[in-house]
Amino acid sequence: MAPESRSAVALAILSAVLFGASTPFAKLLVGDGLDPWLLAGLLYLGSGLGLSVIQGLRRLRGRASEAPLRRADLPWLALVAFAGGAIGPALLMIGLATTPASTAALLLNVEGLATLLIAWIVFHESVDRRLLIGAGAILAGAVLLSYQGGPGGIGVGALAIFGACLAWGIDNNLTRKISAADPVAIALVKGLVAGAVNLTLALLSGAHLPPAGTIAFAGIVGFLGYGVSLVLFVLALRGLGAARTGAYFATAPFLGAVLAVVMFHEPVTATLVAAGLLMALGLYLHLSEDHAHDHVHAPMEHEHRHVHDAHHQHAHGPDDPAGEPHVHAHRHARLAHRHAHYPDLHHRHDHEA
Protein backbone atom coordinates (compact mmCIF):
# COMPACT_ATOMS: atom_id res chain seq x y z
CA MET A 1 0.00 0.00 0.00
CA ALA A 2 1.37 3.41 -0.99
CA PRO A 3 2.18 5.89 1.83
CA GLU A 4 -0.69 8.19 0.80
CA SER A 5 -3.09 5.22 0.91
CA ARG A 6 -1.87 4.23 4.38
CA SER A 7 -2.41 7.81 5.51
CA ALA A 8 -5.97 7.80 4.12
CA VAL A 9 -6.72 4.50 5.88
CA ALA A 10 -5.43 5.92 9.18
CA LEU A 11 -7.65 9.00 8.74
CA ALA A 12 -10.70 6.82 8.02
CA ILE A 13 -10.11 4.69 11.12
CA LEU A 14 -9.51 7.73 13.36
CA SER A 15 -12.73 9.24 12.00
CA ALA A 16 -14.48 5.99 12.88
CA VAL A 17 -13.05 6.00 16.42
CA LEU A 18 -14.42 9.48 17.11
CA PHE A 19 -17.85 8.74 15.66
CA GLY A 20 -18.08 5.33 17.33
CA ALA A 21 -17.32 6.85 20.73
CA SER A 22 -20.08 9.44 20.25
CA THR A 23 -22.88 6.84 20.04
CA PRO A 24 -22.94 5.67 23.68
CA PHE A 25 -22.59 9.27 24.88
CA ALA A 26 -25.57 10.26 22.72
CA LYS A 27 -27.46 7.31 24.26
CA LEU A 28 -26.57 8.71 27.69
CA LEU A 29 -28.16 12.05 26.76
CA VAL A 30 -31.27 10.41 25.30
CA GLY A 31 -31.56 8.34 28.47
CA ASP A 32 -31.66 11.57 30.48
CA GLY A 33 -34.88 12.47 28.68
CA LEU A 34 -33.44 14.81 26.03
CA ASP A 35 -35.69 15.04 22.98
CA PRO A 36 -34.00 13.05 20.13
CA TRP A 37 -34.56 15.74 17.50
CA LEU A 38 -33.30 18.44 19.85
CA LEU A 39 -30.20 16.37 20.62
CA ALA A 40 -29.48 15.97 16.90
CA GLY A 41 -29.58 19.76 16.58
CA LEU A 42 -27.27 20.29 19.56
CA LEU A 43 -24.77 17.72 18.27
CA TYR A 44 -24.52 19.35 14.87
CA LEU A 45 -24.47 22.89 16.25
CA GLY A 46 -21.59 21.83 18.50
CA SER A 47 -19.85 20.51 15.40
CA GLY A 48 -20.42 23.67 13.38
CA LEU A 49 -19.54 26.13 16.14
CA GLY A 50 -16.41 24.23 17.15
CA LEU A 51 -15.20 24.07 13.56
CA SER A 52 -15.97 27.79 13.15
CA VAL A 53 -13.37 28.46 15.84
CA ILE A 54 -10.89 26.18 14.06
CA GLN A 55 -11.58 27.93 10.74
CA GLY A 56 -11.04 31.33 12.33
CA LEU A 57 -7.67 30.25 13.71
CA ARG A 58 -6.68 28.91 10.31
CA ARG A 59 -7.52 32.21 8.63
CA LEU A 60 -5.24 34.04 11.04
CA ARG A 61 -2.38 32.19 9.35
CA GLY A 62 -3.27 34.00 6.13
CA ARG A 63 -2.25 31.40 3.57
CA ALA A 64 -4.95 29.10 2.13
CA SER A 65 -4.15 25.46 2.88
CA GLU A 66 -7.18 23.94 1.11
CA ALA A 67 -9.22 24.63 -2.01
CA PRO A 68 -12.29 26.76 -1.23
CA LEU A 69 -15.85 25.68 -1.85
CA ARG A 70 -17.04 26.92 -5.26
CA ARG A 71 -20.54 27.78 -6.46
CA ALA A 72 -20.79 24.45 -8.30
CA ASP A 73 -20.27 22.67 -4.96
CA LEU A 74 -23.23 24.29 -3.22
CA PRO A 75 -26.06 22.05 -4.55
CA TRP A 76 -24.10 18.96 -3.47
CA LEU A 77 -23.41 20.55 -0.08
CA ALA A 78 -27.11 21.31 0.41
CA LEU A 79 -28.02 17.68 -0.29
CA VAL A 80 -25.26 16.53 2.10
CA ALA A 81 -26.64 18.76 4.87
CA PHE A 82 -30.19 17.48 4.31
CA ALA A 83 -29.46 13.74 4.05
CA GLY A 84 -26.62 13.45 6.56
CA GLY A 85 -27.29 16.42 8.81
CA ALA A 86 -31.08 16.46 9.16
CA ILE A 87 -32.49 13.02 8.31
CA GLY A 88 -29.66 10.77 9.53
CA PRO A 89 -29.12 12.06 13.07
CA ALA A 90 -32.83 12.47 13.77
CA LEU A 91 -33.45 8.82 12.85
CA LEU A 92 -30.45 7.71 14.92
CA MET A 93 -31.69 9.53 18.03
CA ILE A 94 -35.15 7.96 17.57
CA GLY A 95 -33.53 4.54 17.31
CA LEU A 96 -31.36 5.12 20.37
CA ALA A 97 -34.47 5.86 22.45
CA THR A 98 -35.63 2.21 22.16
CA THR A 99 -32.46 0.24 21.35
CA PRO A 100 -29.64 -0.86 23.71
CA ALA A 101 -26.54 1.25 23.13
CA SER A 102 -24.27 -1.71 22.31
CA THR A 103 -26.75 -3.04 19.74
CA ALA A 104 -27.24 0.40 18.23
CA ALA A 105 -23.49 0.89 17.97
CA LEU A 106 -23.02 -2.35 16.02
CA LEU A 107 -26.04 -1.66 13.81
CA LEU A 108 -24.23 1.45 12.57
CA ASN A 109 -22.10 -0.94 10.49
CA VAL A 110 -24.95 -0.74 7.99
CA GLU A 111 -23.73 2.76 7.10
CA GLY A 112 -20.58 1.28 5.56
CA LEU A 113 -22.67 -1.26 3.66
CA ALA A 114 -25.05 1.43 2.36
CA THR A 115 -22.10 3.61 1.35
CA LEU A 116 -20.46 0.73 -0.52
CA LEU A 117 -23.60 -0.32 -2.40
CA ILE A 118 -24.50 3.24 -3.45
CA ALA A 119 -20.91 3.89 -4.57
CA TRP A 120 -20.95 0.67 -6.61
CA ILE A 121 -24.45 0.82 -8.13
CA VAL A 122 -24.98 4.57 -8.55
CA PHE A 123 -21.47 6.03 -8.88
CA HIS A 124 -19.83 2.94 -10.48
CA GLU A 125 -16.86 2.62 -8.13
CA SER A 126 -15.00 -0.66 -8.54
CA VAL A 127 -16.21 -3.27 -6.03
CA ASP A 128 -14.90 -6.84 -6.29
CA ARG A 129 -16.19 -10.14 -4.90
CA ARG A 130 -14.09 -9.81 -1.74
CA LEU A 131 -15.72 -6.51 -0.82
CA LEU A 132 -19.20 -7.88 -1.55
CA ILE A 133 -18.66 -10.96 0.64
CA GLY A 134 -17.43 -8.67 3.41
CA ALA A 135 -20.52 -6.50 2.99
CA GLY A 136 -22.71 -9.60 3.20
CA ALA A 137 -21.08 -10.61 6.49
CA ILE A 138 -21.68 -7.13 7.92
CA LEU A 139 -25.32 -7.23 6.83
CA ALA A 140 -25.79 -10.68 8.39
CA GLY A 141 -24.46 -9.36 11.69
CA ALA A 142 -26.79 -6.36 11.52
CA VAL A 143 -29.85 -8.54 10.85
CA LEU A 144 -28.89 -10.87 13.72
CA LEU A 145 -28.69 -7.90 16.08
CA SER A 146 -31.93 -6.31 15.00
CA TYR A 147 -34.18 -9.38 14.91
CA GLN A 148 -36.25 -9.58 18.09
CA GLY A 149 -38.04 -12.87 17.39
CA GLY A 150 -41.74 -13.58 17.63
CA PRO A 151 -44.38 -11.41 15.98
CA GLY A 152 -42.37 -8.25 16.60
CA GLY A 153 -39.69 -9.22 14.05
CA ILE A 154 -37.34 -6.36 13.35
CA GLY A 155 -37.65 -3.70 16.04
CA VAL A 156 -38.81 -0.16 15.22
CA GLY A 157 -35.67 1.26 16.82
CA ALA A 158 -33.48 -0.92 14.59
CA LEU A 159 -35.44 0.19 11.51
CA ALA A 160 -34.87 3.83 12.48
CA ILE A 161 -31.12 3.15 12.77
CA PHE A 162 -31.17 1.39 9.38
CA GLY A 163 -32.80 4.53 7.96
CA ALA A 164 -30.13 6.71 9.51
CA CYS A 165 -27.42 4.51 7.97
CA LEU A 166 -29.05 4.79 4.53
CA ALA A 167 -29.20 8.58 4.86
CA TRP A 168 -25.52 8.68 5.83
CA GLY A 169 -24.64 6.32 2.97
CA ILE A 170 -26.21 8.82 0.56
CA ASP A 171 -24.44 11.65 2.41
CA ASN A 172 -21.04 9.94 2.12
CA ASN A 173 -21.36 9.45 -1.62
CA LEU A 174 -22.52 13.01 -2.20
CA THR A 175 -19.66 14.31 -0.05
CA ARG A 176 -17.28 12.41 -2.35
CA LYS A 177 -18.36 14.80 -5.14
CA ILE A 178 -16.94 17.79 -3.24
CA SER A 179 -14.12 16.11 -1.31
CA ALA A 180 -11.42 18.09 -3.15
CA ALA A 181 -12.60 21.24 -1.34
CA ASP A 182 -11.72 22.34 2.20
CA PRO A 183 -12.99 19.58 4.55
CA VAL A 184 -13.30 21.97 7.49
CA ALA A 185 -15.54 24.27 5.44
CA ILE A 186 -17.68 21.30 4.33
CA ALA A 187 -18.15 20.00 7.87
CA LEU A 188 -18.66 23.53 9.26
CA VAL A 189 -21.48 24.40 6.85
CA LYS A 190 -23.11 21.02 7.30
CA GLY A 191 -22.96 21.35 11.08
CA LEU A 192 -24.40 24.86 11.25
CA VAL A 193 -27.18 24.24 8.71
CA ALA A 194 -28.19 20.82 10.01
CA GLY A 195 -27.94 21.97 13.62
CA ALA A 196 -30.08 25.06 13.06
CA VAL A 197 -32.75 23.13 11.13
CA ASN A 198 -32.99 20.28 13.64
CA LEU A 199 -33.00 22.60 16.64
CA THR A 200 -35.68 24.86 15.13
CA LEU A 201 -37.95 21.94 14.23
CA ALA A 202 -37.51 20.41 17.69
CA LEU A 203 -38.41 23.66 19.46
CA LEU A 204 -41.42 24.21 17.18
CA SER A 205 -42.65 20.71 18.02
CA GLY A 206 -42.62 21.53 21.74
CA ALA A 207 -39.16 20.47 22.92
CA HIS A 208 -37.41 22.54 25.58
CA LEU A 209 -33.74 23.39 25.90
CA PRO A 210 -31.93 21.44 28.64
CA PRO A 211 -29.65 23.03 31.26
CA ALA A 212 -26.47 24.78 30.08
CA GLY A 213 -24.26 21.93 31.26
CA THR A 214 -26.15 19.42 29.12
CA ILE A 215 -25.96 21.74 26.10
CA ALA A 216 -22.19 22.10 26.56
CA PHE A 217 -21.71 18.34 26.91
CA ALA A 218 -23.76 17.67 23.76
CA GLY A 219 -21.75 20.34 21.94
CA ILE A 220 -18.42 18.70 22.84
CA VAL A 221 -19.71 15.26 21.75
CA GLY A 222 -20.92 16.78 18.49
CA PHE A 223 -17.68 18.67 17.83
CA LEU A 224 -15.53 15.54 18.19
CA GLY A 225 -17.91 12.80 17.03
CA TYR A 226 -19.57 14.68 14.16
CA GLY A 227 -17.30 17.65 13.31
CA VAL A 228 -13.71 16.46 13.62
CA SER A 229 -14.79 12.98 12.55
CA LEU A 230 -16.33 14.35 9.34
CA VAL A 231 -13.22 16.41 8.52
CA LEU A 232 -11.11 13.26 8.77
CA PHE A 233 -13.69 11.30 6.77
CA VAL A 234 -13.57 13.81 3.89
CA LEU A 235 -9.78 13.64 3.84
CA ALA A 236 -10.02 9.84 3.67
CA LEU A 237 -12.56 10.07 0.82
CA ARG A 238 -9.94 11.83 -1.30
CA GLY A 239 -7.56 8.92 -1.03
CA LEU A 240 -9.89 5.90 -0.87
CA GLY A 241 -13.20 6.71 -2.54
CA ALA A 242 -16.60 6.33 -0.91
CA ALA A 243 -16.94 2.52 -0.91
CA ARG A 244 -13.62 1.80 0.79
CA THR A 245 -13.77 4.74 3.18
CA GLY A 246 -17.18 3.43 4.24
CA ALA A 247 -15.66 -0.02 4.74
CA TYR A 248 -12.89 1.29 6.98
CA PHE A 249 -15.42 3.45 8.81
CA ALA A 250 -17.14 0.21 9.82
CA THR A 251 -14.63 0.00 12.68
CA ALA A 252 -16.67 2.71 14.46
CA PRO A 253 -19.45 0.48 15.83
CA PHE A 254 -17.04 -1.93 17.53
CA LEU A 255 -15.61 0.82 19.70
CA GLY A 256 -19.10 2.15 20.37
CA ALA A 257 -20.33 -1.29 21.41
CA VAL A 258 -17.41 -1.85 23.79
CA LEU A 259 -17.94 1.58 25.38
CA ALA A 260 -21.67 0.89 25.69
CA VAL A 261 -21.07 -2.40 27.50
CA VAL A 262 -18.74 -0.60 29.94
CA MET A 263 -20.83 2.55 30.42
CA PHE A 264 -24.28 0.95 30.73
CA HIS A 265 -23.28 -2.48 32.14
CA GLU A 266 -25.12 -4.14 29.28
CA PRO A 267 -24.79 -7.95 29.09
CA VAL A 268 -22.37 -9.47 26.60
CA THR A 269 -24.83 -11.89 24.98
CA ALA A 270 -24.13 -14.68 22.52
CA THR A 271 -26.05 -12.72 19.88
CA LEU A 272 -23.87 -9.66 20.42
CA VAL A 273 -20.67 -11.72 20.17
CA ALA A 274 -21.85 -13.63 17.06
CA ALA A 275 -22.89 -10.41 15.32
CA GLY A 276 -19.58 -8.80 16.24
CA LEU A 277 -17.64 -11.76 14.78
CA LEU A 278 -19.61 -11.61 11.53
CA MET A 279 -18.95 -7.89 11.24
CA ALA A 280 -15.28 -8.37 12.11
CA LEU A 281 -14.99 -10.92 9.29
CA GLY A 282 -16.55 -8.47 6.87
CA LEU A 283 -14.22 -5.73 8.01
CA TYR A 284 -11.16 -7.98 7.62
CA LEU A 285 -12.12 -8.79 4.03
CA HIS A 286 -12.38 -5.09 3.30
CA LEU A 287 -9.12 -4.14 4.98
CA SER A 288 -7.08 -6.86 3.24
CA GLU A 289 -8.03 -5.86 -0.32
CA ASP A 290 -5.29 -5.36 -2.96
CA HIS A 291 -6.26 -3.55 -6.17
CA ALA A 292 -3.73 -3.07 -8.99
CA HIS A 293 -4.11 -3.08 -12.81
CA ASP A 294 -3.16 -1.15 -15.93
CA HIS A 295 -5.26 2.00 -16.07
CA VAL A 296 -5.49 5.26 -18.00
CA HIS A 297 -5.95 8.73 -16.52
CA ALA A 298 -8.03 10.88 -18.86
CA PRO A 299 -7.09 14.57 -19.11
CA MET A 300 -8.76 16.58 -16.35
CA GLU A 301 -8.58 19.89 -14.54
CA HIS A 302 -9.40 20.44 -10.86
CA GLU A 303 -8.28 22.22 -7.70
CA HIS A 304 -7.12 20.64 -4.46
CA ARG A 305 -4.25 20.43 -1.97
CA HIS A 306 -1.39 18.41 -3.51
CA VAL A 307 2.36 17.77 -3.82
CA HIS A 308 4.26 17.07 -7.03
CA ASP A 309 4.01 13.27 -6.99
CA ALA A 310 3.66 10.88 -9.93
CA HIS A 311 0.19 12.25 -10.68
CA HIS A 312 1.11 15.93 -10.42
CA GLN A 313 3.86 16.66 -12.93
CA HIS A 314 2.55 20.01 -14.13
CA ALA A 315 4.20 23.36 -14.79
CA HIS A 316 3.55 26.38 -12.57
CA GLY A 317 2.54 29.85 -13.66
CA PRO A 318 3.91 33.04 -12.06
CA ASP A 319 0.85 33.38 -9.81
CA ASP A 320 0.85 29.78 -8.54
CA PRO A 321 2.01 29.27 -4.94
CA ALA A 322 5.53 28.11 -4.12
CA GLY A 323 6.36 25.34 -1.66
CA GLU A 324 4.54 22.07 -1.07
CA PRO A 325 1.87 21.08 -0.33
CA HIS A 326 0.00 23.87 -2.06
CA VAL A 327 -3.38 24.65 -3.62
CA HIS A 328 -4.12 25.87 -7.13
CA ALA A 329 -6.13 24.85 -10.19
CA HIS A 330 -4.06 22.46 -12.34
CA ARG A 331 -4.49 20.25 -15.38
CA HIS A 332 -3.63 16.56 -15.68
CA ALA A 333 -2.45 15.23 -19.03
CA ARG A 334 -3.34 11.74 -20.21
CA LEU A 335 -1.32 9.14 -18.30
CA ALA A 336 -1.23 5.34 -18.55
CA HIS A 337 0.51 3.20 -15.92
CA ARG A 338 0.05 0.39 -13.39
CA HIS A 339 0.23 0.47 -9.60
CA ALA A 340 -1.82 -0.41 -6.53
CA HIS A 341 -4.51 2.21 -6.06
CA TYR A 342 -7.94 3.07 -4.70
CA PRO A 343 -10.69 5.15 -6.38
CA ASP A 344 -9.24 8.42 -5.07
CA LEU A 345 -9.47 11.86 -6.70
CA HIS A 346 -7.30 10.64 -9.59
CA HIS A 347 -8.49 7.04 -9.99
CA ARG A 348 -12.21 7.21 -10.68
CA HIS A 349 -11.94 5.31 -13.93
CA ASP A 350 -14.22 2.63 -15.30
CA HIS A 351 -13.41 -1.08 -14.92
CA GLU A 352 -14.08 -3.91 -17.34
CA ALA A 353 -16.67 -6.43 -16.22
Side-chain angles (χ1 to χ4, degrees), residues 20-30 39 217 221 259 263-264:
S22 73
T23 302
F25 285 105
K27 172 70 175 180
L28 189 66
L29 290 166
V30 170
L39 176 56
F217 181 68
V221 172
L259 282 177
M263 290 171 58
F264 299 103

PDB file of all heavy atoms in Angstrom, residues 20-30 39 217 221 259 263-264:
ATOM      1  N   GLY A  20     -17.635   6.477  16.545  1.00  0.00           N
ATOM      2  CA  GLY A  20     -18.082   5.328  17.334  1.00  0.00           C
ATOM      3  C   GLY A  20     -18.202   5.666  18.803  1.00  0.00           C
ATOM      4  O   GLY A  20     -19.145   5.230  19.484  1.00  0.00           O
ATOM      5  N   ALA A  21     -17.267   6.463  19.324  1.00  0.00           N
ATOM      6  CA  ALA A  21     -17.318   6.846  20.731  1.00  0.00           C
ATOM      7  C   ALA A  21     -18.497   7.759  21.026  1.00  0.00           C
ATOM      8  O   ALA A  21     -18.991   7.808  22.165  1.00  0.00           O
ATOM      9  CB  ALA A  21     -16.011   7.521  21.135  1.00  0.00           C
ATOM     10  N   SER A  22     -18.977   8.491  20.014  1.00  0.00           N
ATOM     11  CA  SER A  22     -20.078   9.438  20.250  1.00  0.00           C
ATOM     12  C   SER A  22     -21.413   8.734  20.481  1.00  0.00           C
ATOM     13  O   SER A  22     -22.301   9.287  21.139  1.00  0.00           O
ATOM     14  CB  SER A  22     -20.213  10.402  19.067  1.00  0.00           C
ATOM     15  OG  SER A  22     -20.772   9.756  17.928  1.00  0.00           O
ATOM     16  N   THR A  23     -21.580   7.513  19.958  1.00  0.00           N
ATOM     17  CA  THR A  23     -22.881   6.844  20.039  1.00  0.00           C
ATOM     18  C   THR A  23     -23.316   6.540  21.472  1.00  0.00           C
ATOM     19  O   THR A  23     -24.442   6.890  21.861  1.00  0.00           O
ATOM     20  CB  THR A  23     -22.865   5.557  19.193  1.00  0.00           C
ATOM     21  OG1 THR A  23     -22.549   5.905  17.839  1.00  0.00           O
ATOM     22  CG2 THR A  23     -24.217   4.867  19.231  1.00  0.00           C
ATOM     23  N   PRO A  24     -22.486   5.907  22.300  1.00  0.00           N
ATOM     24  CA  PRO A  24     -22.942   5.667  23.678  1.00  0.00           C
ATOM     25  C   PRO A  24     -23.148   6.958  24.474  1.00  0.00           C
ATOM     26  O   PRO A  24     -24.011   7.018  25.355  1.00  0.00           O
ATOM     27  CB  PRO A  24     -21.829   4.801  24.284  1.00  0.00           C
ATOM     28  CG  PRO A  24     -20.655   4.979  23.416  1.00  0.00           C
ATOM     29  CD  PRO A  24     -21.190   5.240  22.042  1.00  0.00           C
ATOM     30  N   PHE A  25     -22.371   7.997  24.175  1.00  0.00           N
ATOM     31  CA  PHE A  25     -22.589   9.275  24.882  1.00  0.00           C
ATOM     32  C   PHE A  25     -23.909   9.913  24.452  1.00  0.00           C
ATOM     33  O   PHE A  25     -24.603  10.531  25.266  1.00  0.00           O
ATOM     34  CB  PHE A  25     -21.421  10.215  24.623  1.00  0.00           C
ATOM     35  CG  PHE A  25     -20.172   9.842  25.385  1.00  0.00           C
ATOM     36  CD1 PHE A  25     -19.107   9.248  24.732  1.00  0.00           C
ATOM     37  CD2 PHE A  25     -20.070  10.071  26.748  1.00  0.00           C
ATOM     38  CE1 PHE A  25     -17.961   8.884  25.423  1.00  0.00           C
ATOM     39  CE2 PHE A  25     -18.933   9.718  27.446  1.00  0.00           C
ATOM     40  CZ  PHE A  25     -17.868   9.113  26.780  1.00  0.00           C
ATOM     41  N   ALA A  26     -24.265   9.767  23.166  1.00  0.00           N
ATOM     42  CA  ALA A  26     -25.570  10.257  22.720  1.00  0.00           C
ATOM     43  C   ALA A  26     -26.687   9.464  23.388  1.00  0.00           C
ATOM     44  O   ALA A  26     -27.718  10.018  23.782  1.00  0.00           O
ATOM     45  CB  ALA A  26     -25.672  10.147  21.197  1.00  0.00           C
ATOM     46  N   LYS A  27     -26.479   8.149  23.556  1.00  0.00           N
ATOM     47  CA  LYS A  27     -27.458   7.313  24.263  1.00  0.00           C
ATOM     48  C   LYS A  27     -27.620   7.790  25.702  1.00  0.00           C
ATOM     49  O   LYS A  27     -28.740   7.808  26.238  1.00  0.00           O
ATOM     50  CB  LYS A  27     -26.985   5.854  24.232  1.00  0.00           C
ATOM     51  CG  LYS A  27     -27.788   4.894  25.094  1.00  0.00           C
ATOM     52  CD  LYS A  27     -29.175   4.641  24.556  1.00  0.00           C
ATOM     53  CE  LYS A  27     -29.905   3.585  25.356  1.00  0.00           C
ATOM     54  NZ  LYS A  27     -31.261   3.321  24.846  1.00  0.00           N
ATOM     55  N   LEU A  28     -26.527   8.197  26.314  1.00  0.00           N
ATOM     56  CA  LEU A  28     -26.573   8.708  27.686  1.00  0.00           C
ATOM     57  C   LEU A  28     -27.464   9.942  27.769  1.00  0.00           C
ATOM     58  O   LEU A  28     -28.272  10.095  28.692  1.00  0.00           O
ATOM     59  CB  LEU A  28     -25.156   9.041  28.149  1.00  0.00           C
ATOM     60  CG  LEU A  28     -24.948   9.395  29.625  1.00  0.00           C
ATOM     61  CD1 LEU A  28     -25.244   8.196  30.509  1.00  0.00           C
ATOM     62  CD2 LEU A  28     -23.514   9.875  29.840  1.00  0.00           C
ATOM     63  N   LEU A  29     -27.347  10.832  26.775  1.00  0.00           N
ATOM     64  CA  LEU A  29     -28.158  12.051  26.764  1.00  0.00           C
ATOM     65  C   LEU A  29     -29.624  11.746  26.483  1.00  0.00           C
ATOM     66  O   LEU A  29     -30.517  12.333  27.091  1.00  0.00           O
ATOM     67  CB  LEU A  29     -27.602  13.026  25.714  1.00  0.00           C
ATOM     68  CG  LEU A  29     -26.242  13.654  26.060  1.00  0.00           C
ATOM     69  CD1 LEU A  29     -25.627  14.323  24.842  1.00  0.00           C
ATOM     70  CD2 LEU A  29     -26.404  14.667  27.190  1.00  0.00           C
ATOM     71  N   VAL A  30     -29.886  10.807  25.564  1.00  0.00           N
ATOM     72  CA  VAL A  30     -31.271  10.413  25.296  1.00  0.00           C
ATOM     73  C   VAL A  30     -31.887   9.771  26.532  1.00  0.00           C
ATOM     74  O   VAL A  30     -33.053  10.002  26.874  1.00  0.00           O
ATOM     75  CB  VAL A  30     -31.335   9.451  24.090  1.00  0.00           C
ATOM     76  CG1 VAL A  30     -32.726   8.849  23.948  1.00  0.00           C
ATOM     77  CG2 VAL A  30     -30.963  10.189  22.812  1.00  0.00           C
ATOM     78  N   LEU A  39     -31.579  16.825  20.440  1.00  0.00           N
ATOM     79  CA  LEU A  39     -30.203  16.368  20.617  1.00  0.00           C
ATOM     80  C   LEU A  39     -29.457  16.367  19.289  1.00  0.00           C
ATOM     81  O   LEU A  39     -28.288  16.777  19.228  1.00  0.00           O
ATOM     82  CB  LEU A  39     -30.193  14.965  21.228  1.00  0.00           C
ATOM     83  CG  LEU A  39     -28.806  14.321  21.380  1.00  0.00           C
ATOM     84  CD1 LEU A  39     -27.878  15.200  22.196  1.00  0.00           C
ATOM     85  CD2 LEU A  39     -28.923  12.939  22.005  1.00  0.00           C
ATOM     86  N   PHE A 217     -22.161  19.725  27.084  1.00  0.00           N
ATOM     87  CA  PHE A 217     -21.710  18.340  26.911  1.00  0.00           C
ATOM     88  C   PHE A 217     -22.082  17.821  25.527  1.00  0.00           C
ATOM     89  O   PHE A 217     -21.268  17.192  24.833  1.00  0.00           O
ATOM     90  CB  PHE A 217     -22.329  17.459  27.998  1.00  0.00           C
ATOM     91  CG  PHE A 217     -21.915  16.015  27.930  1.00  0.00           C
ATOM     92  CD1 PHE A 217     -20.611  15.643  28.214  1.00  0.00           C
ATOM     93  CD2 PHE A 217     -22.827  15.029  27.577  1.00  0.00           C
ATOM     94  CE1 PHE A 217     -20.219  14.306  28.155  1.00  0.00           C
ATOM     95  CE2 PHE A 217     -22.454  13.697  27.516  1.00  0.00           C
ATOM     96  CZ  PHE A 217     -21.138  13.337  27.807  1.00  0.00           C
ATOM     97  N   VAL A 221     -19.526  16.556  22.437  1.00  0.00           N
ATOM     98  CA  VAL A 221     -19.706  15.263  21.754  1.00  0.00           C
ATOM     99  C   VAL A 221     -19.892  15.491  20.257  1.00  0.00           C
ATOM    100  O   VAL A 221     -19.306  14.785  19.423  1.00  0.00           O
ATOM    101  CB  VAL A 221     -20.911  14.501  22.344  1.00  0.00           C
ATOM    102  CG1 VAL A 221     -21.222  13.258  21.502  1.00  0.00           C
ATOM    103  CG2 VAL A 221     -20.633  14.111  23.785  1.00  0.00           C
ATOM    104  N   LEU A 259     -17.679   0.496  24.429  1.00  0.00           N
ATOM    105  CA  LEU A 259     -17.941   1.581  25.381  1.00  0.00           C
ATOM    106  C   LEU A 259     -19.329   1.448  26.002  1.00  0.00           C
ATOM    107  O   LEU A 259     -19.516   1.712  27.196  1.00  0.00           O
ATOM    108  CB  LEU A 259     -17.807   2.938  24.675  1.00  0.00           C
ATOM    109  CG  LEU A 259     -16.393   3.449  24.436  1.00  0.00           C
ATOM    110  CD1 LEU A 259     -16.441   4.765  23.661  1.00  0.00           C
ATOM    111  CD2 LEU A 259     -15.657   3.658  25.754  1.00  0.00           C
ATOM    112  N   MET A 263     -20.126   1.404  29.846  1.00  0.00           N
ATOM    113  CA  MET A 263     -20.835   2.548  30.423  1.00  0.00           C
ATOM    114  C   MET A 263     -22.193   2.166  31.007  1.00  0.00           C
ATOM    115  O   MET A 263     -22.599   2.697  32.042  1.00  0.00           O
ATOM    116  CB  MET A 263     -21.013   3.638  29.356  1.00  0.00           C
ATOM    117  CG  MET A 263     -19.718   4.335  28.963  1.00  0.00           C
ATOM    118  SD  MET A 263     -19.951   5.432  27.526  1.00  0.00           S
ATOM    119  CE  MET A 263     -21.236   6.538  28.114  1.00  0.00           C
ATOM    120  N   PHE A 264     -22.908   1.250  30.325  1.00  0.00           N
ATOM    121  CA  PHE A 264     -24.277   0.949  30.729  1.00  0.00           C
ATOM    122  C   PHE A 264     -24.413  -0.448  31.348  1.00  0.00           C
ATOM    123  O   PHE A 264     -25.520  -0.887  31.640  1.00  0.00           O
ATOM    124  CB  PHE A 264     -25.216   1.076  29.522  1.00  0.00           C
ATOM    125  CG  PHE A 264     -25.234   2.451  28.926  1.00  0.00           C
ATOM    126  CD1 PHE A 264     -24.540   2.717  27.753  1.00  0.00           C
ATOM    127  CD2 PHE A 264     -25.902   3.493  29.538  1.00  0.00           C
ATOM    128  CE1 PHE A 264     -24.538   3.983  27.186  1.00  0.00           C
ATOM    129  CE2 PHE A 264     -25.914   4.766  28.989  1.00  0.00           C
ATOM    130  CZ  PHE A 264     -25.227   5.019  27.809  1.00  0.00           C
TER     131      PHE A 264
END
